Amino acid sequence: MSNLGNLAEIVDEAARNATAVPQLTIDAPDLTPDDGYAIQAMAMARRLSRGERRVGMKMGLTSRAKMIQVNVEEVIWGRLTDGMRVEEGGFASMADYVHPRVEPEIAFLMGAPLSGNVSAVEAMNAVEAVAPAMEIIDSRYKDFKFTWADVVADNCSSSGFVIGNWCAPDTDIANAGMVMEIDGQARQIGSSAAILGHPVRSLVAAARMVAQWGESLEPGYIVMAGGATAAEPLAAGMSVRNNVQGLGAVSFQVEA
Ligand code: OOG
Ligand code: MG
């Protein structure tokens, strides 16, 4: 257990200082995904003890494009804090990251608690609003390379998120076109249907997966459904925008 605590300190310090570290599984090849979740929980406790506040969770690797890009074929989840939020239309700073990437997502705002095995209808009934979103992911591992256990320990590369305007929960998100532009040029084009066939399935999976770790999706939580396309590397000076059919656009800029 204390060993997992040491590993939590390594990934937490790497995130805090925006410095790359070797994959944990190089020195600890037997690390399991469950160990990864235990490490993630301990690393999150360290963040919260520094004054950050929990605001939700993110699902990861919910589309084929994402699984292929990072070579891990498992749906994963991580925790979001207020410190990760980038204001809509605001700035993200390269200084806060190691090698950040951005991906187009859809976000849910929970209106009621949700946990355990639920149907898609039950999941949507707990949703207060949906929004166009982007996630800034930043693996703390060298070369953005990791195993399933590594990435889970590293809070699933969570480092930033941007949320656009909240829309009514009955807005059709089944097959919404998504175009992510950098400096006005379309760089990733996809559909919300790439997210497990329908983003609500990501929410259903989220409720089930957090319950395994004694958690619930709480009212007011933001839940990120996962990237619909592969992620794009960020660099200072970029202007990034995700246009989601029926939901509107969300944008931010990158500064040094
Ligand atoms: C892992 C996190 C994946 C998503 O939306 O699929 C993720 C990574 O790609 O580094 O956030
Ligand atoms: Mg993501």
Side-chain angles (χ1 to χ4, degrees), residues 72-159:
V72 175
E73 306 234 341
E74 304 289 340
V75 173
I76 56 181
W77 70 278
R79 295 166 167 93
L80 302 178
T81 72
D82 59 346
M84 300 174 190
R85 187 158 191 162
V86 172
E87 219 178 287
E88 205 291 309
F91 285 88
S93 170
M94 287 300 285
D96 293 338
Y97 311 111
V98 182
H99 37 210
R101 298 175 178 177
V102 62
E103 53 199 16
E105 304 214 8
I106 282 179
F108 297 99
L109 179 64
M110 303 309 296
L114 194 69
S115 181
N117 289 319
V118 298
S119 69
V121 171
E122 285 166 334
M124 279 318 293
N125 283 341
V127 170
E128 186 168 303
V130 294
M134 284 183 279
E135 189 182 19
I136 300 169
I137 50 169
D138 188 34
S139 176
R140 266 57 65 158
Y141 301 118
K142 285 189 178 121
D143 304 319
F144 225 108
K145 280 215 185 101
F146 42 71
T147 65
W148 179 14
D150 285 321
V151 68
V152 166
D154 184 29
N155 201 15
C156 301
S157 311
S158 305
S159 58

Side-chain angles (χ1 to χ4, degrees), residues 30-46:
D30 297 335
L31 211 65
T32 65
D34 277 358
D35 292 335
Y37 280 108
I39 293 167
Q40 182 192 130
M42 287 187 269
M44 180 54 46
R46 294 170 61 93

Side-chain angles (χ1 to χ4, degrees), residues 168-206:
D170 58 354
T171 310
D172 187 2
I173 54 166
N175 185 13
M178 298 171 76
V179 180
M180 190 170 72
E181 297 168 4
I182 295 182
D183 297 332
Q185 302 240 327
R187 293 279 281 271
Q188 290 289 343
I189 299 174
S191 161
S192 62
I195 303 164
L196 296 176
H198 190 306
V200 74
R201 294 205 183 119
S202 179
L203 187 60
V204 168

